[in-house]
Amino acid sequence: MNKYDTLNEKQREACFCTEGPLLLLAGAGSGKTRVLTHRIAYILENNLAKPWEIMAITFTNKASKEMAERVESLLGECSQVFVSTFHSACMRFLRRDIDKLGFSKSFTIYDTTDSKKVIKDIVKNNNLDKQAYKEAAVLSEISKAKNLLMSPDDYYNAYASEHRKRKIAEIYEQYQKELKKNNALDFGDLLYYMVKLFESEPDVLAHYQNKFKYILVDEYQDTNMIQFKIVNMLAKKHKNLCVVGDDDQSIYKFRGADITNILSFEKYYPSARVIKLEQNYRSTKNILDAANAVIKGNTYRKAKRLWTENPVGEKISFYNLPDEKQEARVIVELVGANLQAGYKYKDQSVLYRTNAQSRVIEERLFNQGIPYKILGGTNFYQRKEIKDFIAYLRLINEPKDDVAFDRIINYPKRGIGASTVNQVKDYAIKHEMSLFEVLEMIDEIDEFTDRNKKKLGEFAELIRTFAEEAKGMDSLEDFAADIVDRVGFYDELHKEKDKAEEKIANVRELIGKFKEYDDTAEEISLTGFLEDIALISDVDGYDEDADYVTLMTLHSAKGLEFPLVYMPGMEDGLFPSYMSINEGDEQVEEERRLCYVGITRAQEKLVMLSVKNRFLNGNTSYNPVSRFIEEIPDELLDVKSAKRSAQSYSARQKVKERKPTPYKSYYKAAKKDVKPAKEIDLKVGDFVMHKKYEVGEILEIRPAGADYELSVNFTSVGLKKIMANLSGVKKIDF
DNA sequence: GACATATCTAAAGCC
DNA sequence: TAGATATGTC
């Protein structure tokens, strides 16, 4: 028996069909990763290609790593297959040849925050209305354009009749100029310039075309036009292109994913073979039936029906609860119950539509002392203190990086205020220089006061010294620790009242990552490290061995599986979201696919929850149960009543049951209607809530000048006075 | 002009 | 809730 005997017939067919274009339609849980890895092994074992002549594109770095490992374990040896994401592959190719496009090879990669900053400055400098040209919206237009391979000119011409789009085209143009000046690329540029480079340098393209004899693309349903183009360019010579995907799992339209890439693969490659993998090995029958029932609601899809030989399993539990706190409570109770039943924490995962939903659940898990990990949200590398520190490394690595410069020129505070910085910026714009270049010659510029010259000169000197040291560096950890010391990073964080300890701990953790890098990297370089972290995705932080409950968005969960899945927030308006409902059927279909992805993550048990009143993002919404729940046949659902689950109340929770009015609502209500405070429904005897845990009873309300003074007896801290007026709560003495 | 504090505003999904 | 902006103080 050889390794291929463990595959089913269809899987084997896909595995051995190595020559020519192949479309592999692989339903959820149908073992496509197994097929891909076996296919690579087969190609290698039969000497059809050398390892480095195979390119496999995955969706996340984590998936790349896994695939490489699995190929290695199949072959029992270290292989050098080129497994990478689109973005990392392009980054690596561009590192080699980007000088041909006028960038230098030490280019920086800007993340969304950096990009927004650049756009914001452009909008400001052009005296445009910042409300009409919000950074996020403009950036999304720009990246859409890039994903369609449209230059600023193309974009301008395509939308010449629309005023707003003409303006955006202008911003786009300046944005590209600014990035080039900073020697920086954003995420979209990695792909965009890749195509540009291939187009303008046929030799470079030919090199890769010759090199990669076999190309595999995973999660093909989520590729966009430009990625399709890159794949086509690379596969043009050998045409051994195998794409794997499931149109029902296409969930990234918002970032340009083009579902037609998969739906019309056969049109582009008329000779393409199509193989469908429809047997699911992951989920129980009930779970799969529910998934099939939901996805049936979509019209634009390839006909297929997943089936399984797995047991029927339990019905899908559905809870409709009063509010998000109850929802969190039920989830956490079930986590505990399932732990008793023999499941581990790591077998259980909470998947939600929006990151904001994680907070309540996190609080509850935290309260109950259950180990958990939240993926995404504020990514570790997005935290302010981390970004600030990384900005030092970025500026040291590439002094032209104006965004990094701007972050740290006065952080930690060194007496260089906003107006001085603006002066530097004005000078830089006038003379077309980078900010750091201005500093390099600050002594010769008369406009600056002696004091500022000194301060700015000192900063420039500091960065120069570090850059000098970076050259001969053999430990990034030591280097970073040195920067922290000399810059006084911890001292600065100590001064910040809010979560100073946590921030310092984060920076220490970062230093720990430098150590890790020192230990694992083949060659230690600043560029190398910055490269590694620039393209990290949320799921890259997921560790399936560690025993904790995992919380993440449905988007992040793609490609993962868990014995137990909880899906909170099954409400129309949240999932599917208002936006998608307003935008029409096509958007709702995308949400439906997202729901399908969620359901099919579950192997054994699936719990779905919705609530009647949800307090989210500062206001309460009353949403009906999600249409996706309605689409699941009754016989598959086990509708649980809220009361039954609410057995184990502690005394403290009973207090909470009396529905304390959050201050926030009070504030809102008072402000919206501008009613006299008396008419606001806060009265003596009501319970109010402060922040997360403090619940208290109002003992007295009395006028105090224009304001009101409330005496509140808090359960934990006792009697406190709270000042309130028409515009809300003024002061809380804790 | 730098820094501290008060006030306002807006909120999806991701490499 | 946080981040940006407006206002106040030295």
Side-chain angles (χ1 to χ4, degrees), chain A residues 161-335:
Chain A
S161 61
E162 293 172 58
H163 174 75
R164 182 186 147 79
K165 298 228 171 180
R166 282 203 306 273
K167 285 286 172 211
I168 290 179
E170 285 166 24
I171 300 172
Y172 179 16
E173 185 173 10
Q174 290 177 42
Y175 172 77
Q176 290 307 99
K177 257 192 205 149
E178 187 63 25
L179 258 63
K180 190 152 194 178
K181 207 186 94 204
N182 295 357
N183 199 29
L185 272 65
D186 69 13
F187 294 131
D189 286 336
L190 290 170
L191 307 177
Y192 183 84
Y193 286 125
M194 187 78 262
V195 173
K196 291 289 158 194
L197 181 73
F198 283 161
E199 281 173 351
S200 65
E201 305 290 330
D203 294 353
V204 175
L205 175 60
H207 167 78
Y208 292 110
Q209 281 176 335
N210 288 325
K211 177 175 167 155
F212 295 120
K213 290 191 177 145
Y214 292 89
I215 299 178
L216 299 91
V217 183
D218 196 7
E219 306 288 4
Y220 186 68
Q221 74 282 356
D222 282 320
T223 53
N224 58 32
M225 183 267 199
I226 196 163
Q227 291 166 332
F228 179 64
K229 175 122 188 161
I230 292 171
V231 169
N232 276 337
M233 285 172 125
L234 289 172
K236 198 159 184 182
K237 175 141 191 245
H238 296 291
K239 292 207 175 58
N240 295 325
L241 172 62
C242 167
V243 300
V244 190
D246 178 1
D247 51 309
D248 288 336
Q249 293 188 63
S250 165
I251 54 173
Y252 281 99
K253 189 151 188 283
F254 69 90
R255 72 175 202 209
D258 191 350
I259 194 168
T260 55
N261 278 355
I262 198 162
L263 293 176
S264 49
F265 184 78
E266 295 153 84
K267 262 188 228 148
Y268 291 106
Y269 293 98
S271 64
R273 289 204 43 189
V274 181
I275 298 174
K276 288 187 189 179
L277 302 180
E278 292 178 301
Q279 180 175 4
N280 173 296
Y281 294 93
R282 181 186 292 152
S283 313
T284 63
K285 270 202 183 67
N286 276 341
I287 290 171
L288 205 58
D289 285 348
N292 278 330
V294 169
I295 200 66
K296 212 172 61 190
N298 277 5
T299 44
Y300 304 103
R301 56 187 293 254
K302 288 204 173 243
K304 66 171 148 338
R305 190 168 181 93
L306 278 181
W307 58 279
T308 185
E309 287 174 352
N310 288 347
V312 175
E314 290 180 24
K315 286 187 181 180
I316 288 142
S317 305
F318 174 65
Y319 293 82
N320 187 276
L321 302 161
D323 58 41
E324 75 283 348
K325 291 217 166 70
Q326 301 294 316
E327 183 183 58
R329 200 203 75 231
V330 169
I331 290 174
V332 173
E333 276 176 16
L334 290 173
V335 167

Side-chain angles (χ1 to χ4, degrees), chain A residues 360-465:
Chain A
V360 207
I361 303 167
E362 171 178 22
E363 272 169 27
R364 190 75 197 181
L365 287 164
F366 182 81
N367 275 343
Q368 305 293 315
I370 291 176
Y372 65 92
K373 184 155 180 177
I374 299 179
L375 301 185
T378 15
N379 181 311
F380 179 77
Y381 289 100
Q382 300 284 32
R383 288 165 199 261
K384 185 181 176 299
E385 61 276 18
I386 301 299
K387 283 211 85 163
D388 287 337
F389 187 75
I390 300 280
Y392 274 91
L393 301 183
R394 274 168 51 179
L395 192 64
I396 292 162
N397 181 56
E398 174 51 85
K400 284 188 189 152
D401 188 341
D402 285 354
V403 173
F405 180 101
D406 208 31
R407 273 197 98 88
I408 56 172
I409 176 67
N410 197 32
Y411 187 89
K413 304 248 163 60
R414 45 174 75 86
I416 303 171
S419 43
T420 311
V421 175
N422 279 332
Q423 230 182 322
V424 175
K425 284 182 184 169
D426 288 344
Y427 191 89
I429 292 172
K430 208 157 56 180
H431 297 83
E432 299 201 344
M433 298 161 78
S434 71
L435 299 177
F436 196 78
E437 280 165 342
V438 176
L439 260 55
E440 297 269 32
M441 51 172 290
I442 197 76
D443 286 337
E444 292 133 53
I445 309 173
D446 296 335
E447 292 119 273
F448 291 88
T449 63
D450 285 346
R451 175 186 175 278
N452 285 339
K453 278 183 184 171
K454 183 164 170 286
K455 296 259 179 212
L456 293 167
E458 279 168 10
F459 178 72
E461 183 55 31
L462 180 74
I463 298 299
R464 265 197 304 270
T465 320

